[in-house]
Amino acid sequence: MSERHIIPKRNELKPEDTWSTEDLYPSDGAFWEAFTLEKEKAQALTAYEGRLGESGTLLYRYFQEKEEAEEAVERLYTYTSLKSDEDTKNSVYQGMKGQMMSWLVQWQQEMAFETPELIALTEEQLAAFYREEPKLALYRRYLERVRRKKAHILSPSEEALLAAAGEMADAPDRIYGNFVNADLTFPSVQDTAGTIYPLTNGSYGTLMLNQDRCLREEAFQHLYETYEKFKNTTAAILNAHVRQNVFFARARKYGSCLEAALDRTEVPVAVYHQLIQAVHENMQPMYDYMAFRKRQLGVEELHMYDLYVPVVGDAEEEISFERAKEDVIDALGIFGEEYQAVLKSSFEQRWMDIYENEGKRSGAYSCGAKVHPFILLNHKDTLNSEFTLVHELGHAMHSYLSNQNQPAVYADYVIFVAEVASTCNEALLMHYLLNRTKDKKRRAYLLNYFLEQFRTTLYRQTMFAEFEEKIHAMAEEGEALTADVLKNLYYQLNQLYYGEHVTVDEEIAIEWARVPHFYYNFYVYQYATGFAAAIALSQRILKEGKPAVEDYLRFLKGGCSTDPISLLKIAGVDMTTAEPVEKALQYFKGLLAEMEELMA
């Protein structure tokens, strides 16, 4: 008789394994009461329209009241997001989030007066305002960030119109999320022993680690055959997302969607192009790794479903959440007692939602709420899940330390630095595990995992970034982003990045349809740049100790108090050069050499 792995319903989970949304609001009723009250307070800010240039005292009072309103609105939004992600099939919470989003767009439209009025201030006016109200100096950087975009800010009426279009602009992402997480279903798969496994977007990654090649191949084919059936729908959704990016970039007079996206975080476009170029110039280590993987697996053809399975299969072990937790706490002890104490409290205070349930959003993320961060996981008792835990805790601790050490206006760090803390944590956990491992097979297994991090983050995310840049460039030239166009481009990039030692299966051409990050508007490149920066920083921390840790913690506490390039320089890495990427790829090459020696 075959065994069937069952995914539990939400109400079957233990409360201690779920996140504490009651820390935001004790009940849905309390949320609705707060929603009514905070909406009125937030909308009262519209009384400042047309008045921001009156005096420094008034402008300071406006910023203070706006901060209070934004903190309340963020709390409301966080609650609806977390509850809707718990079970995407729950129409109550989907409706709650939809109502919240509709009002949020309306409020943003009403608040669209701020930017044009701040830009209209002369330097003489601002100087007088600072003299009149010295406390206004707190918002100097905020004002500078707004005013530097003067060339891209429109008239008040045009700004209001763009803000009103926000709900429509958000539609592709929402439609895609509902389609993939709630509506899309896949056939179950079976291994050679007859065990039946449910196939979901969440379980697919675990199945790709299974040593049973027939199971992997069946999961691969069933997943992508299902996406293939909806290729025109998913292409239309992605096309709509790209078109709205083109619309907003042009409306704001940017030269490209890429320029518009990176300008939000004060990152030069050259950093994006430099990443792709550096990876293109260092493809050989990737090709060598694929040749090594092919030899170790002993296969005539290395297929796409062979890329994730460990090449040291008999060293794989089950890692419970409790064990993963202890490893993470010990590994990050290098950051000091204060950091470690907060880390321990994150488990006690239920910052995280640990296990998969029916309808739960797939993947993992950290949400840096003011009350405390929240972490979504889908833990599977694997090494990959242990690294997911340490990754998301990196985000969470970054948010926590920024919130604790920066005023609200500068507490929210920008996306460009977001992946540095998470990936630095991963590198330190790997160092910790390798140092505790004397068994050669176990060490080889861990090195294999580390090599996979380089492949999937530095190489694969750069491939994603190149795909994203190209489809936006095509749209900007007026080319239609049909399913076939997207598939052909994606397939060609896979051939380029994996090389001749890999049989690039036709099914992989539709993989773009299951990557939610393509709806995040040029987000993915930051995984690669963040990884390169994190490798550099982790090496410095391990080599220099306390001085490097102190610099790194200053970076984590920095929020957005200065631009992201400057923040990373504080930590000890310069991302305006190709050096961090090139050094990371050379490190990858050295790890592969050690792996080959161990396996010999």
Side-chain angles (χ1 to χ4, degrees):
M1 181 182 243
S2 66
E3 176 188 353
R4 180 177 288 273
H5 292 243
I6 303 297
I7 297 174
K9 291 180 170 56
R10 182 71 188 177
N11 59 14
E12 295 173 342
L13 297 178
K14 296 176 183 178
E16 60 266 31
D17 293 333
T18 63
W19 48 26
S20 55
T21 54
E22 61 270 21
D23 292 346
L24 294 166
Y25 299 102
S27 66
D28 293 349
F31 163 82
W32 287 117
E33 288 179 17
F35 185 51
T36 302
L37 178 65
E38 300 301 344
K39 272 201 310 181
E40 292 178 1
K41 289 183 180 179
Q43 288 177 301
L45 285 167
T46 57
Y48 284 96
E49 184 171 2
R51 302 181 58 205
L52 299 186
E54 286 184 12
S55 69
T57 302
L58 181 139
L59 185 57
Y60 176 73
R61 187 168 69 244
Y62 165 75
F63 282 141
Q64 289 281 290
E65 291 179 14
K66 183 189 171 199
E67 271 188 19
E68 183 180 342
E70 286 180 335
E71 185 175 332
V73 168
E74 179 193 47
R75 195 182 190 108
L76 292 166
Y77 177 77
T78 300
Y79 185 81
T80 63
S81 292
L82 299 183
K83 299 304 286 186
S84 64
D85 286 347
E86 289 176 359
D87 184 355
T88 59
K89 297 180 180 180
N90 188 319
S91 60
V92 172
Y93 290 121
Q94 298 308 311
M96 177 187 284
K97 185 178 180 181
Q99 191 167 341
M100 179 68 203
M101 286 300 301
S102 293
W103 173 76
L104 189 56
V105 169
Q106 176 191 331
W107 185 54
Q108 289 171 340
Q109 180 182 355
E110 293 169 351
M111 294 295 293
F113 67 86
E114 180 194 289
T115 300
E117 288 190 34
L118 295 181
I119 283 177
L121 297 174
T122 65
E123 291 300 324
E124 291 74 17
Q125 276 181 292
L126 272 180
F129 284 2
Y130 289 131
R131 289 194 299 270
E132 174 195 339
E133 178 50 85
K135 292 179 182 178
L136 186 61
L138 171 64
Y139 299 99
R140 187 185 295 274
R141 169 158 164 76
Y142 176 82
L143 284 161
E144 289 172 351
R145 287 176 66 191
V146 171
R147 288 165 62 79
R148 76 178 183 81
K149 295 183 180 180
K150 185 173 184 178
H152 307 292
I153 301 302
L154 310 180
S155 68
S157 60
E158 289 171 322
E159 285 294 326
L161 188 61
L162 289 184
E167 189 169 9
M168 289 186 293
D170 185 56
D173 184 25
R174 286 188 287 109
I175 294 168
Y176 174 80
N178 287 334
F179 170 68
V180 171
N181 294 311
D183 295 340
L184 198 61
T185 58
F186 306 91
S188 296
V189 293
Q190 185 172 320
D191 64 15
T192 51
T195 303
I196 297 172
Y197 298 80
L199 177 60
T200 66
N201 277 306
S203 68
Y204 177 74
T206 304
L207 293 171
M208 287 297 101
L209 298 172
N210 198 294
Q211 290 292 324
D212 189 326
R213 197 182 193 206
C214 292
L215 175 66
R216 297 199 308 270
E217 182 178 4
E218 186 176 4
F220 176 82
Q221 290 176 347
H222 283 359
L223 186 91
Y224 290 117
E225 283 171 358
T226 302
Y227 274 103
E228 181 70 21
K229 292 175 183 177
F230 300 96
K231 66 178 183 179
N232 294 316
T233 298
T234 50
I237 300 171
L238 183 56
N239 178 64
H241 168 73
V242 172
R243 297 292 171 187
Q244 63 94 3
N245 286 343
V246 173
F247 168 77
F248 283 105
R250 287 177 176 170
R252 295 201 176 280
K253 303 180 177 65
Y254 283 101
S256 67
C257 294
L258 178 62
E259 182 189 347
L262 269 59
D263 190 46
R264 291 200 312 270
T265 52
E266 302 175 87
V267 175
V269 171
V271 171
Y272 198 101
H273 292 143
Q274 187 173 262
L275 166 68
I276 295 173
Q277 182 179 346
V279 170
H280 277 201
E281 291 173 355
N282 288 274
M283 287 292 198
Q284 194 57 49
M286 175 65 152
Y287 299 158
D288 292 344
Y289 176 47
M290 290 298 99
F292 167 76
R293 172 171 277 277
K294 184 178 180 180
R295 290 195 304 272
Q296 289 304 128
L297 292 178
V299 294
E300 290 186 13
E301 291 186 353
L302 185 70
H303 287 269
M304 302 305 289
Y305 49 81
D306 297 321
L307 298 185
Y308 294 89
V309 62
V311 298
V312 194
D314 54 354
E316 188 176 358
E317 59 182 312
E318 189 173 283
I319 301 171
S320 69
F321 183 77
E322 283 301 313
R323 179 180 156 187
K325 177 179 77 172
E326 295 305 318
D327 284 347
V328 167
I329 291 171
D330 288 347
L332 299 183
I334 195 169
F335 290 136
E337 292 181 4
E338 183 180 346
Y339 184 103
Q340 201 172 38
V342 177
L343 205 61
K344 291 177 181 178
S345 72
S346 72
F347 296 97
E348 297 161 3
Q349 296 173 12
R350 292 170 50 218
W351 287 13
M352 54 208 72
D353 203 79
I354 302 170
Y355 299 109
E356 183 180 10
N357 59 257
E358 285 186 12
K360 183 177 177 180
R361 174 174 168 158
S362 62
Y365 66 72
S366 173
C367 172
K370 184 76 172 179
V371 58
H372 63 68
F374 290 87
I375 299 172
L376 180 138
L377 301 169
N378 283 281
H379 190 83
K380 298 291 184 185
D381 288 355
T382 63
L383 183 66
N384 185 61
S385 286
E386 180 173 1
F387 273 88
T388 298
L389 173 63
V390 80
H391 179 103
E392 298 305 337
L393 278 168
H395 287 308
M397 289 300 295
H398 195 176
S399 297
Y400 177 85
L401 291 172
S402 289
N403 278 323
Q404 292 295 310
N405 291 277
Q406 293 296 326
V409 66
Y410 303 127
D412 191 14
Y413 53 84
V414 299
I415 295 172
F416 185 76
V417 299
E419 295 303 330
V420 175
S422 56
T423 311
C424 185
N425 272 15
E426 290 192 59
L428 292 172
L429 175 60
M430 178 57 68
H431 176 80
Y432 169 83
L433 294 175
L434 286 170
N435 271 1
R436 293 178 64 209
T437 304
K438 295 181 180 179
D439 181 78
K440 286 186 177 181
K441 280 190 176 180
R442 179 65 179 165
R443 184 174 182 83
Y445 180 77
L446 290 170
L447 282 172
N448 176 202
Y449 186 88
F450 205 13
L451 289 168
E452 279 298 284
Q453 288 179 303
F454 278 84
R455 177 183 73 82
T456 58
T457 306
L458 200 44
Y459 282 104
R460 188 164 180 258
Q461 296 296 335
T462 300
M463 182 184 77
F464 284 174
E466 189 169 356
F467 175 75
E468 192 170 9
E469 182 188 20
K470 286 181 181 296
I471 62 174
H472 279 82
M474 291 161 69
E476 286 164 347
E477 292 296 321
E479 188 169 346
L481 299 180
T482 64
D484 288 340
V485 166
L486 294 169
K487 286 177 63 181
N488 288 338
L489 172 61
Y490 195 82
Y491 187 80
Q492 290 168 11
L493 286 172
N494 271 271
Q495 289 178 311
L496 170 64
Y497 277 76
Y498 286 106
E500 64 181 4
H501 299 293
V502 177
T503 299
V504 181
D505 302 277
E506 291 182 5
E507 291 92 338
I508 205 66
I510 193 68
E511 186 184 35
W512 52 265
R514 66 178 295 261
V515 181
H517 293 75
F518 289 144
Y519 293 86
Y520 297 0
N521 197 9
F522 292 99
Y523 187 103
V524 292
Y525 86 98
Q526 292 155 127
Y527 283 115
T529 55
F531 187 89
I535 292 298
L537 293 175
S538 64
Q539 292 296 303
R540 182 181 176 226
I541 288 166
L542 293 169
K543 182 179 179 181
E544 299 179 22
K546 189 176 179 180
V549 168
E550 290 176 350
D551 287 345
Y552 181 71
L553 292 177
R554 282 173 59 211
F555 157 70
L556 293 184
K557 295 174 182 178
C560 62
S561 56
T562 187
D563 67 271
I565 300 295
S566 298
L567 281 169
L568 285 171
K569 285 180 180 178
I570 290 171
V573 63
D574 185 358
M575 293 307 295
T576 63
T577 72
E579 184 181 6
V581 177
E582 290 172 348
K583 280 191 172 182
L585 292 172
Q586 288 304 307
Y587 184 48
F588 171 71
K589 189 175 180 179
L591 290 171
L592 178 57
E594 182 183 353
M595 180 70 173
E596 289 178 321
E597 184 178 344
L598 275 173
M599 296 305 290

